[in-house]
Amino acid sequence: MALIVAGVVVLDCSEPEKLAAFYKEFLDGEETDATANRVEIRGAGGMRMAFRRDVNATPPSWPRPENSLQTHLDFRVEDLDTAERKVVGLGGRPLETKDPGSPYEERGYADPSGHSFTLRLEPDTAPKQG
């Protein structure tokens, strides 16, 4: 029998309900637990996250060096442009902008509370034709 049943990434923030709503929509997930100071969700792909109230939470300042990186999340996606539109539509913001005319394999963003994350293009695993 495994000692650890499941792991949960927990982000501190001043408004856990709002941050949980952002990630719940982004991950096509569902809320699995909520108390006055914590909200937990499970994404459609099984990823579990929780958001804990900390009234003194300070948003990270990444990419500036002061208070820059408290945690960082990576999400694999099949289409960077579609994922970016969803992130921005939900209130996230780009942190690293690249020349849109060139192909890039990852892009950096901040959620509405300032936590940084990266969208990485899922590598194509289909065999090459011809």
Side-chain angles (χ1 to χ4, degrees):
M1 177 185 230
L3 178 63
I4 305 299
V5 177
V8 178
V9 173
V10 181
L11 298 178
D12 291 345
C13 57
S14 59
E15 299 178 276
E17 299 83 6
K18 287 184 179 180
L19 196 55
F22 171 84
Y23 281 103
K24 184 175 84 171
E25 288 298 316
F26 177 59
L27 299 172
D28 295 322
E30 63 180 341
E31 185 176 299
T32 58
D33 189 38
T35 65
N37 290 311
R38 189 175 185 275
V39 179
E40 187 172 323
I41 66 164
R42 181 175 35 250
M47 181 176 188
R48 294 175 62 179
M49 296 181 75
F51 311 92
R52 187 181 70 88
R53 188 177 317 280
D54 179 353
V55 295
N56 297 315
T58 303
S61 61
W62 192 88
R64 296 185 321 270
E66 65 280 356
N67 190 34
S68 65
L69 193 58
Q70 297 172 355
T71 189
H72 179 87
L73 304 169
D74 281 348
F75 297 99
R76 289 187 173 179
V77 299
E78 294 178 352
D79 183 318
L80 282 170
D81 293 330
T82 300
E84 179 174 278
R85 284 192 293 276
K86 187 169 188 176
V87 166
V88 172
L90 292 169
R93 62 183 169 81
L95 293 177
E96 294 181 293
T97 57
K98 309 271 187 181
D99 177 4
S102 301
Y104 288 91
E105 306 240 325
E106 65 180 48
R107 298 177 190 163
Y109 301 88
D111 67 28
S113 291
H115 301 100
S116 63
F117 63 93
T118 301
L119 299 179
R120 294 183 186 269
L121 188 61
E122 179 71 20
D124 185 7
T125 58
K128 292 187 178 188
Q129 300 294 320

Coordinates of all heavy atoms in Angstrom, one line a residue, residues 11-14 19 22-23 57-64 67-73 91-93 95 109-117:
L11 N -1.3 27.0 -3.8 CA -0.9 28.3 -4.0 C -1.5 29.2 -2.9 O -2.7 29.2 -2.7 CB -1.2 28.8 -5.4 CG -0.7 28.1 -6.6 CD1 -1.2 28.7 -7.9 CD2 0.9 28.1 -6.5
D12 N -0.7 30.0 -2.3 CA -1.2 31.0 -1.3 C -1.6 32.3 -2.1 O -1.0 32.7 -3.1 CB -0.1 31.4 -0.3 CG 0.3 30.3 0.6 OD1 -0.5 29.4 0.7 OD2 1.3 30.5 1.3
C13 N -2.7 32.9 -1.7 CA -3.2 34.0 -2.4 C -4.2 34.7 -1.5 O -4.7 34.2 -0.5 CB -3.9 33.7 -3.7 SG -5.2 32.5 -3.5
S14 N -4.6 36.0 -1.8 CA -5.5 36.7 -0.9 C -6.9 36.4 -1.2 O -7.8 36.5 -0.3 CB -5.3 38.2 -1.1 OG -5.5 38.6 -2.5
L19 N -9.0 32.8 -7.5 CA -8.0 32.1 -8.2 C -8.4 30.7 -8.6 O -8.0 30.2 -9.6 CB -6.7 32.1 -7.3 CG -5.4 31.7 -8.0 CD1 -5.1 32.6 -9.3 CD2 -4.2 31.8 -7.1
F22 N -10.3 30.8 -11.8 CA -9.4 30.9 -12.9 C -8.9 29.6 -13.4 O -9.0 29.2 -14.5 CB -8.3 31.9 -12.6 CG -7.2 31.9 -13.7 CD1 -7.3 32.8 -14.7 CD2 -6.0 31.1 -13.5 CE1 -6.3 32.8 -15.7 CE2 -5.0 31.2 -14.5 CZ -5.2 32.0 -15.6
Y23 N -8.3 28.8 -12.4 CA -7.7 27.5 -12.8 C -8.7 26.5 -13.1 O -8.5 25.6 -13.9 CB -6.7 27.1 -11.7 CG -5.4 27.8 -11.8 CD1 -5.1 28.8 -10.9 CD2 -4.5 27.4 -12.7 CE1 -3.8 29.4 -11.0 CE2 -3.2 28.1 -12.8 CZ -2.9 29.1 -11.9 OH -1.7 29.7 -12.0
A57 N -0.4 37.8 1.4 CA 0.2 37.2 0.2 C 0.7 38.4 -0.7 O 0.0 39.4 -0.9 CB -0.7 36.3 -0.6
T58 N 1.9 38.3 -1.2 CA 2.5 39.3 -2.1 C 2.7 38.6 -3.4 O 3.4 37.6 -3.5 CB 3.9 39.7 -1.5 OG1 3.7 40.3 -0.2 CG2 4.5 40.8 -2.4
P59 N 2.1 39.2 -4.5 CA 2.3 38.6 -5.8 C 3.8 38.5 -6.2 O 4.6 39.5 -5.9 CB 1.6 39.5 -6.7 CG 0.6 40.3 -5.9 CD 1.3 40.4 -4.5
P60 N 4.2 37.4 -6.8 CA 5.6 37.4 -7.3 C 5.9 38.5 -8.3 O 4.9 38.9 -9.0 CB 5.7 36.0 -8.0 CG 4.6 35.2 -7.4 CD 3.5 36.2 -7.1
S61 N 7.1 38.9 -8.4 CA 7.5 40.0 -9.4 C 8.2 39.5 -10.6 O 8.7 40.3 -11.3 CB 8.3 41.0 -8.6 OG 9.5 40.4 -8.2
W62 N 8.2 38.2 -10.8 CA 8.9 37.6 -11.9 C 8.5 38.3 -13.2 O 7.4 38.5 -13.4 CB 8.7 36.1 -12.0 CG 9.6 35.4 -13.0 CD1 10.8 34.8 -12.7 CD2 9.3 35.1 -14.3 NE1 11.3 34.2 -13.8 CE2 10.5 34.4 -14.8 CE3 8.3 35.4 -15.2 CZ2 10.6 34.0 -16.1 CZ3 8.4 35.0 -16.5 CH2 9.6 34.3 -17.0
P63 N 9.5 38.7 -14.1 CA 10.9 38.3 -14.2 C 11.8 39.2 -13.4 O 13.0 39.1 -13.5 CB 11.2 38.3 -15.7 CG 10.3 39.4 -16.2 CD 9.0 39.3 -15.3
R64 N 11.3 40.2 -12.7 CA 12.2 41.1 -11.9 C 12.8 40.3 -10.8 O 12.1 39.4 -10.2 CB 11.4 42.3 -11.4 CG 10.9 43.2 -12.5 CD 10.3 44.5 -12.0 NE 9.5 44.3 -10.8 CZ 8.2 44.1 -10.8 NH1 7.5 43.9 -12.0 NH2 7.5 44.0 -9.7
N67 N 11.7 39.4 -5.0 CA 10.5 38.6 -4.7 C 10.0 37.9 -6.0 O 8.9 37.8 -6.3 CB 9.4 39.5 -4.2 CG 8.2 38.7 -3.6 OD1 8.4 37.6 -3.1 ND2 7.1 39.2 -3.8
S68 N 11.0 37.3 -6.8 CA 10.6 37.0 -8.1 C 9.9 35.6 -8.3 O 8.9 35.6 -9.0 CB 11.8 37.0 -9.0 OG 12.7 36.0 -8.6
L69 N 10.4 34.6 -7.8 CA 9.8 33.3 -8.1 C 9.5 32.5 -6.8 O 10.4 31.9 -6.2 CB 10.8 32.5 -9.0 CG 10.2 31.3 -9.7 CD1 9.0 31.6 -10.6 CD2 11.3 30.7 -10.6
Q70 N 8.2 32.5 -6.5 CA 7.8 31.7 -5.3 C 7.5 30.3 -5.7 O 7.7 29.3 -5.0 CB 6.6 32.4 -4.6 CG 7.0 33.8 -4.1 CD 5.8 34.5 -3.7 OE1 4.6 34.0 -3.8 NE2 6.0 35.7 -3.1
T71 N 6.9 30.1 -6.8 CA 6.6 28.8 -7.4 C 6.4 29.0 -8.9 O 6.2 30.1 -9.4 CB 5.3 28.2 -6.8 OG1 5.2 26.8 -7.2 CG2 4.1 28.9 -7.1
H72 N 6.5 27.9 -9.6 CA 6.3 28.0 -11.1 C 5.6 26.8 -11.6 O 6.0 25.7 -11.2 CB 7.6 28.2 -11.8 CG 7.5 28.3 -13.3 ND1 7.3 29.5 -13.9 CD2 7.6 27.4 -14.2 CE1 7.2 29.3 -15.2 NE2 7.4 28.0 -15.4
L73 N 4.6 26.9 -12.4 CA 3.8 25.8 -12.9 C 4.1 25.7 -14.4 O 4.2 26.7 -15.1 CB 2.3 26.0 -12.7 CG 1.9 26.2 -11.2 CD1 0.5 26.6 -11.1 CD2 2.2 25.0 -10.4
G91 N -8.4 36.3 -17.5 CA -7.8 37.3 -16.6 C -6.3 37.1 -16.4 O -5.7 37.9 -15.6
G92 N -5.6 36.1 -17.0 CA -4.2 36.0 -16.9 C -3.5 37.0 -17.8 O -4.1 37.6 -18.7
R93 N -2.2 37.1 -17.7 CA -1.5 38.1 -18.5 C -0.1 37.5 -19.0 O 0.5 36.8 -18.2 CB -1.3 39.4 -17.8 CG -0.4 39.3 -16.6 CD -0.3 40.7 -15.8 NE 0.3 40.5 -14.5 CZ 1.6 40.4 -14.3 NH1 2.4 40.5 -15.3 NH2 2.0 40.2 -13.1
L95 N 3.8 37.2 -19.6 CA 5.0 37.7 -19.0 C 6.1 37.8 -20.0 O 7.0 38.7 -19.9 CB 5.4 36.8 -17.8 CG 4.5 36.8 -16.6 CD1 5.0 35.8 -15.6 CD2 4.3 38.2 -16.0
Y109 N 3.3 33.2 -18.5 CA 2.1 34.0 -18.1 C 2.1 34.2 -16.6 O 2.8 33.5 -15.9 CB 0.9 33.3 -18.5 CG 0.8 33.1 -20.0 CD1 1.4 31.9 -20.6 CD2 0.2 34.0 -20.9 CE1 1.4 31.7 -22.0 CE2 0.2 33.8 -22.2 CZ 0.8 32.7 -22.8 OH 0.8 32.5 -24.1
A110 N 1.2 35.0 -16.1 CA 0.9 35.2 -14.7 C -0.6 35.0 -14.6 O -1.4 35.4 -15.4 CB 1.3 36.5 -14.2
D111 N -1.0 34.3 -13.5 CA -2.4 34.1 -13.2 C -2.9 35.5 -12.6 O -2.1 36.4 -12.4 CB -2.7 32.9 -12.3 CG -2.1 33.0 -10.9 OD1 -2.0 34.1 -10.4 OD2 -1.8 31.9 -10.3
P112 N -4.2 35.6 -12.3 CA -4.7 36.9 -11.8 C -4.1 37.3 -10.4 O -4.1 38.5 -10.1 CB -6.2 36.6 -11.6 CG -6.5 35.6 -12.7 CD -5.3 34.7 -12.7
S113 N -3.5 36.3 -9.7 CA -2.9 36.7 -8.4 C -1.4 36.9 -8.6 O -0.7 37.2 -7.6 CB -3.1 35.6 -7.4 OG -4.4 35.6 -7.0
G114 N -0.8 36.8 -9.8 CA 0.6 37.0 -10.1 C 1.5 35.8 -10.1 O 2.7 36.0 -10.4
H115 N 1.0 34.6 -9.8 CA 1.8 33.4 -9.9 C 2.2 33.1 -11.4 O 1.3 33.1 -12.2 CB 1.1 32.2 -9.3 CG 0.6 32.3 -7.9 ND1 -0.6 32.7 -7.6 CD2 1.3 32.2 -6.8 CE1 -0.7 32.7 -6.3 NE2 0.4 32.5 -5.8
S116 N 3.5 32.8 -11.6 CA 3.9 32.6 -13.0 C 3.7 31.1 -13.4 O 3.7 30.2 -12.5 CB 5.4 33.0 -13.1 OG 6.2 32.2 -12.3
F117 N 3.4 31.0 -14.7 CA 3.3 29.6 -15.2 C 3.7 29.7 -16.7 O 3.7 30.7 -17.3 CB 2.0 29.0 -15.0 CG 0.8 29.7 -15.7 CD1 0.4 29.3 -16.9 CD2 0.1 30.7 -15.0 CE1 -0.7 29.9 -17.5 CE2 -0.9 31.4 -15.6 CZ -1.4 31.0 -16.9

